[in-house]
Amino acid sequence: MKSDQICAMEKTILSALETGRWSEALTNHMNGCAYCRESVEITKWMRQLAAIPEESEPPDLEVIWMMSRISQSSRRLAVPVWDGIAAILFIAFIAVWAWSPVESLVTKMVPSHSMLLVTFLVSCTIAAGMTVAALNIESLHLRRR
Amino acid sequence: MDHAAFRAFYEKTVPKLRAFVIHSCGSVDVADDILQEAFLRFLQSAPLARLDESQMRAYLYRTVESLIVNQWHRRQRDEKIRRDASVVQDKSRPDPIADEMSQAFASLDPKHRTLLWMAYVEGYDHKEIAAASRVGEKSVRVLLFRARQMLMKVIKKP
């Protein structure tokens, strides 16, 4: 028997097996068709296997439903967090980009011997601002959870 | 999908799907973990609105098949470390025939198991199986033919 020698009557034969209604024509076909006989044998074996009773209960559907809801809401929360991170990165980029105009402005206002101290203070202020922003986003995320 | 629709679908689908996973991986505990993971993935990522019930069921069969294969690889890795066959199987069933049938089914190739189950337990035709497995109808015919031959060999084994 080859794979292209599949019998077109298989579906009808399997329906008869399901319903138990065997016409004479179907019985005659079954007797003469090795493919259909094999299909019936396989179907009976597979259904017997599927019907083996299992004592334990399947996983609780309420648990699955709840877990899926939780993971969906945390996925929704992940978006604002990423928005916040993008905003912080944008501020950092602007700070670096605008550094030289700020520095020249500060140079005019501050004596040159205090320049190092001013640079240090400005860097600290930006870093502190970014930390506060990051902490705010994190606490918002926790509160929503 | 709302809660009531999920409940109805779950109750209708779980008995046969669970039997498939149990007989494929030989452990009820592992099967239930796989089942839970498959339904979670189903609820999270399946484009449910566009699928009918039979397609949703086919999606689940595809998911459990891949989870069973992953689990099998993991188990092989663990076995290499432990070399302890006793952890593989849960307690044997009291019915030796059922046990033998289950072992025979588990010995088949995962793809063959899924095809046979979809065709002869769920009653899917070649077209539906092709859509579910994302392969051509002709390929399904050939694969199913091979799967039948492998099963017959296992059934007839003395």
Side-chain angles (χ1 to χ4, degrees):
Chain A
M1 207 191 297
K2 289 180 187 167
S3 61
D4 54 356
Q5 291 173 331
I6 287 170
C7 181
M9 289 290 286
E10 187 194 23
K11 210 172 174 180
T12 319
I13 293 287
L14 293 183
S15 300
L17 180 70
E18 179 93 38
T19 56
R21 281 189 224 123
W22 291 92
S23 65
E24 202 184 321
L26 283 180
T27 313
N28 287 341
H29 175 81
M30 252 276 282
N31 292 335
C33 177
Y35 185 85
C36 285
R37 274 202 308 276
E38 195 180 271
S39 291
V40 168
E41 192 178 348
I42 287 174
T43 305
K44 281 180 178 170
W45 193 90
M46 292 291 297
R47 289 187 183 169
Q48 196 184 336
L49 178 72
I52 291 172
E54 188 50 63
E55 285 168 16
S56 63
E57 288 294 313
D60 189 349
L61 85 94
E62 297 300 340
V63 173
I64 296 172
W65 180 258
M66 204 173 68
M67 282 167 76
S68 110
R69 295 296 101 177
I70 290 168
S71 86
Q72 270 179 11
S73 56
S74 49
R75 258 189 298 167
R76 271 199 296 272
L77 279 169
V79 177
V81 170
W82 283 110
D83 283 354
I85 290 167
I88 290 168
L89 288 175
F90 180 71
I91 292 165
F93 173 75
I94 294 292
V96 171
W97 180 69
W99 183 250
S100 51
V102 170
E103 193 184 20
S104 62
L105 188 75
V106 172
T107 316
K108 283 176 196 163
M109 294 163 65
V110 179
S112 61
H113 62 272
S114 313
M115 199 52 210
L116 197 67
L117 180 69
V118 170
T119 308
F120 176 72
L121 285 174
V122 170
S123 306
C124 284
T125 312
I126 291 171
M130 286 171 68
T131 309
V132 168
L135 288 172
N136 278 339
I137 289 166
E138 181 59 21
S139 67
L140 178 75
H141 175 68
L142 290 173
R143 232 180 298 141
R144 282 196 193 170
R145 193 183 276 179
Chain B
M1 182 180 256
D2 63 20
H3 185 260
F6 176 64
R7 172 179 283 276
F9 176 70
Y10 185 87
E11 281 168 359
K12 202 169 169 187
T13 306
V14 131
K16 282 181 186 168
L17 184 65
R18 187 171 184 239
F20 170 71
V21 185
I22 290 173
H23 297 308
S24 294
C25 65
S27 159
V28 177
D29 292 339
V30 175
D32 284 347
D33 286 346
I34 287 174
L35 214 58
Q36 187 162 313
E37 177 64 27
F39 271 102
L40 265 175
R41 286 191 191 183
F42 165 78
L43 283 170
Q44 286 164 4
S45 60
L48 297 175
R50 284 187 280 123
L51 302 180
D52 62 30
E53 198 179 299
S54 139
Q55 288 169 326
M56 290 198 285
R57 204 164 292 135
Y59 175 92
L60 277 166
Y61 272 101
R62 213 169 49 232
T63 309
V64 295
E65 186 194 307
S66 106
L67 289 170
I68 289 166
V69 171
N70 291 347
Q71 188 272 337
W72 184 85
H73 285 302
R74 225 178 4 249
R75 203 163 71 182
Q76 293 293 105
R77 240 187 356 249
D78 293 349
E79 269 182 30
K80 264 189 191 162
I81 300 164
R82 285 198 299 262
R83 297 276 174 216
D84 180 10
S86 61
V87 293
V88 176
Q89 287 271 332
D90 277 1
K91 58 187 184 302
S92 291
R93 288 183 179 80
D95 179 0
I97 295 171
D99 212 22
E100 206 175 289
M101 286 178 82
S102 190
Q103 277 175 23
F105 186 68
S107 73
L108 297 173
D109 178 85
K111 194 92 207 153
H112 289 167
R113 284 194 304 241
T114 314
L115 283 171
L116 288 165
W117 198 276
M118 288 178 98
Y120 298 109
V121 177
E122 291 286 356
Y124 284 29
D125 61 26
H126 294 170
K127 205 174 167 183
E128 288 171 314
I129 297 173
S133 346
R134 291 178 181 158
V135 291
E137 212 176 317
K138 214 171 176 182
S139 307
V140 167
R141 213 172 297 154
V142 175
L143 284 168
L144 190 58
F145 188 82
R146 278 192 211 137
R148 284 168 57 119
Q149 284 181 320
M150 297 311 292
L151 180 65
M152 288 308 284
K153 240 185 239 176
V154 173
I155 295 175
K156 301 256 190 246
K157 210 190 261 180

